[in-house]
Coordinates of all heavy atoms in Angstrom, one line a residue:
W80 N 61.7 99.3 -8.8 CA 62.7 99.9 -7.8 C 63.7 98.9 -7.3 O 63.8 98.7 -6.1 CB 61.9 100.6 -6.7 CG 60.5 100.2 -6.4 CD1 60.0 99.0 -6.1 CD2 59.4 101.1 -6.4 NE1 58.7 99.0 -5.9 CE2 58.2 100.3 -6.0 CE3 59.2 102.4 -6.6 CZ2 56.9 100.8 -5.9 CZ3 57.9 103.0 -6.5 CH2 56.8 102.2 -6.1
G110 N 77.7 78.0 7.6 CA 78.1 79.3 7.2 C 78.9 79.3 5.9 O 79.3 78.3 5.4
Y190 N 42.2 85.4 -4.5 CA 43.3 84.6 -4.0 C 43.1 84.1 -2.5 O 43.9 83.5 -2.0 CB 44.7 85.3 -4.1 CG 45.0 85.6 -5.6 CD1 45.1 86.9 -6.0 CD2 45.0 84.6 -6.5 CE1 45.4 87.2 -7.4 CE2 45.3 84.8 -7.9 CZ 45.5 86.1 -8.3 OH 45.7 86.4 -9.6
G196 N 44.6 85.9 11.5 CA 45.5 86.5 12.5 C 46.2 87.7 11.9 O 47.1 88.3 12.5
D275 N 59.3 96.9 6.9 CA 59.5 96.3 5.6 C 60.2 97.3 4.7 O 59.6 98.3 4.2 CB 58.1 95.9 5.0 CG 58.3 95.3 3.6 OD1 59.4 95.5 3.0 OD2 57.3 94.7 3.1
Y293 N 63.6 108.6 10.7 CA 62.6 108.9 11.7 C 63.1 108.6 13.2 O 62.3 108.7 14.1 CB 61.3 108.2 11.4 CG 60.9 108.4 9.9 CD1 61.0 107.3 9.0 CD2 60.6 109.6 9.5 CE1 60.6 107.5 7.7 CE2 60.2 109.8 8.1 CZ 60.3 108.8 7.3 OH 60.0 108.9 5.9
G305 N 66.9 96.3 -3.8 CA 68.1 97.0 -4.0 C 69.3 96.4 -3.2 O 70.4 96.9 -3.3
A352 N 77.5 87.8 -2.1 CA 78.7 88.3 -2.8 C 78.3 89.6 -3.6 O 79.0 90.6 -3.6 CB 79.2 87.2 -3.8
R363 N 81.7 103.9 -2.2 CA 82.8 104.5 -2.9 C 82.3 105.7 -3.8 O 82.9 106.7 -3.9 CB 83.4 103.4 -3.8 CG 84.8 103.8 -4.3 CD 85.4 102.8 -5.2 NE 84.6 102.5 -6.3 CZ 84.1 101.3 -6.6 NH1 84.4 100.2 -5.9 NH2 83.3 101.1 -7.7
K387 N 52.1 123.6 -13.0 CA 51.7 123.7 -14.5 C 50.5 122.9 -14.8 O 49.7 123.4 -15.7 CB 52.9 123.2 -15.3 CG 52.9 123.6 -16.7 CD 54.2 123.3 -17.4 CE 54.2 123.4 -18.9 NZ 55.4 122.9 -19.5
L390 N 46.1 118.5 -13.2 CA 45.9 117.1 -13.1 C 46.7 116.5 -11.9 O 46.4 115.4 -11.4 CB 46.3 116.4 -14.4 CG 46.1 114.9 -14.7 CD1 44.6 114.6 -14.5 CD2 46.6 114.5 -16.1
C427 N 55.2 108.2 -22.1 CA 56.6 108.2 -21.8 C 57.4 107.1 -22.4 O 58.5 107.2 -22.9 CB 56.8 108.2 -20.2 SG 56.2 109.7 -19.4
G431 N 60.7 106.8 -24.9 CA 62.0 106.3 -24.5 C 62.2 106.5 -23.0 O 63.4 106.5 -22.6
I434 N 58.5 104.9 -16.8 CA 58.1 105.4 -15.5 C 57.1 104.3 -14.9 O 56.7 103.4 -15.6 CB 57.4 106.8 -15.5 CG1 56.1 106.7 -16.4 CG2 58.3 107.8 -16.0 CD1 55.1 107.8 -16.2

Side-chain angles (χ1 to χ4, degrees):
W80 21 58
Y190 298 118
D275 176 344
Y293 311 111
R363 197 182 57 237
K387 194 166 167 189
L390 187 56
C427 290
I434 61 159

